[in-house]
Amino acid sequence: ASSVPLVVFYHDGTLRISLSKYDENNFSSQQVHLTNWSAQKSAQGTKDNADEARASFKDLASYLEEYVSQNPRVSHIKDPISHVRDQIKDALATVAHIYRDLSFSVNVKNHGRKMCSAENGFAFLGADFMVDSDLKVWITEMQSGPGLSHDSETTRENFAIVLPGIFEVLKEVRAREMSGEPISEMESPNTWELIYKDNFRFTYSGGNGGS
């Protein structure tokens, strides 16, 4: 939402799914373990399966409910989708906190004269995560952009919500600037959730799911 001051919002994305059966005893096939579309498309030899290679968080919630019911070691997790989502938000808020002065607050000077600043700047970023069999979330990559692929119905539906929401966030930022209201006092707008700003950082300690 804003680089200076740093204000970060989160929105659910989509999931990539392997079109090949997962097999921990078979590491000879990239298509079994890599879910990126180039690998899956190569495995199938066609683009017709793009919809099958994507899933929504609603699909993930259904899968996790069934998974938890069948696996005693994670049966204590009462709200598995919140458990996974909150770990994602915690990781993203941590990244924002660590890099806020290195990546988000840019002030370049030349011979003592300011050349540019991150003021009035914003970014639409993405990240990749993996979830292990204990429902522990691992961040694998931060991205300068989330990828705006429309190759599946799932991504089209997601971006139909995400993209208009971005403009609503930016409109509020602009309105606050014009009225003199602090941007850092923004709360969660529409379907976006605040995870980081001055004096606030989303954290999750685990437990039964939910923050």
Side-chain angles (χ1 to χ4, degrees), residues 3-69:
S3 297
V4 180
L6 183 59
V7 180
V8 182
F9 291 96
Y10 164 85
H11 197 286
D12 288 344
T14 60
L15 290 80
R16 293 186 181 275
I17 298 175
S18 172
L19 299 177
S20 302
K21 184 176 181 180
Y22 181 73
D23 184 358
E24 291 185 353
N25 297 314
N26 177 18
F27 288 94
S28 62
S29 173
Q30 289 187 340
Q31 289 77 26
V32 173
H33 301 280
L34 296 179
T35 58
N36 63 71
W37 178 232
S38 61
Q40 297 306 310
K41 182 171 63 175
S42 173
Q44 299 298 316
T46 177
K47 296 191 293 184
D48 295 339
N49 292 304
D51 284 322
E52 297 178 32
R54 287 278 188 174
S56 66
F57 265 60
K58 183 178 179 180
D59 297 325
L60 177 62
S62 297
Y63 171 81
L64 292 177
E65 289 289 345
E66 181 178 358
Y67 179 80
V68 166
S69 70

Side-chain angles (χ1 to χ4, degrees), residues 9-209:
F9 291 96
Y10 164 85
H11 197 286
D12 288 344
T14 60
L15 290 80
R16 293 186 181 275
I17 298 175
S18 172
L19 299 177
S20 302
K21 184 176 181 180
Y22 181 73
D23 184 358
E24 291 185 353
N25 297 314
N26 177 18
F27 288 94
S28 62
S29 173
Q30 289 187 340
Q31 289 77 26
V32 173
H33 301 280
L34 296 179
T35 58
N36 63 71
W37 178 232
S38 61
Q40 297 306 310
K41 182 171 63 175
S42 173
Q44 299 298 316
T46 177
K47 296 191 293 184
D48 295 339
N49 292 304
D51 284 322
E52 297 178 32
R54 287 278 188 174
S56 66
F57 265 60
K58 183 178 179 180
D59 297 325
L60 177 62
S62 297
Y63 171 81
L64 292 177
E65 289 289 345
E66 181 178 358
Y67 179 80
V68 166
S69 70
Q70 297 175 355
N71 291 271
R73 72 173 182 273
V74 292
S75 60
H76 64 284
I77 300 175
K78 305 305 180 185
D79 188 354
I81 188 61
S82 292
H83 179 66
V84 168
R85 181 186 284 117
D86 285 350
Q87 290 179 78
I88 292 174
K89 292 186 294 186
D90 184 296
L92 293 174
T94 300
V95 169
H97 181 71
I98 292 173
Y99 286 97
R100 63 172 298 164
D101 295 326
L102 296 174
S103 301
F104 298 106
S105 300
V106 180
N107 288 291
V108 179
K109 292 185 177 181
N110 183 21
H111 301 295
R113 183 167 61 93
K114 181 179 287 189
M115 302 296 292
C116 65
S117 171
E119 185 177 0
N120 295 323
F122 77 95
F124 181 30
L125 307 177
D128 289 343
F129 296 87
M130 297 177 65
V131 183
D132 66 20
S133 57
D134 291 321
L135 301 193
K136 184 174 182 179
V137 173
W138 302 84
I139 186 169
T140 61
E141 180 184 16
M142 288 297 300
Q143 302 171 338
S144 58
L148 300 178
S149 171
H150 283 62
D151 58 0
S152 72
E153 185 64 26
T154 298
T155 53
R156 289 191 290 270
E157 290 178 352
N158 188 62
F159 286 127
I161 298 172
V162 170
L163 296 180
I166 291 176
F167 291 104
E168 291 300 317
V169 171
L170 296 179
K171 283 170 58 179
E172 182 177 348
V173 170
R174 181 58 175 169
R176 284 179 171 273
E177 288 179 333
M178 297 297 291
S179 65
E181 297 179 75
I183 296 175
S184 59
E185 293 183 4
M186 287 180 63
E187 299 298 334
S188 299
N190 49 67
T191 57
W192 292 77
E193 182 176 352
L194 180 70
I195 60 171
Y196 191 88
K197 66 176 182 179
D198 289 341
N199 301 317
F200 172 74
R201 171 181 158 195
F202 182 91
T203 58
Y204 178 59
S205 59
N208 293 331

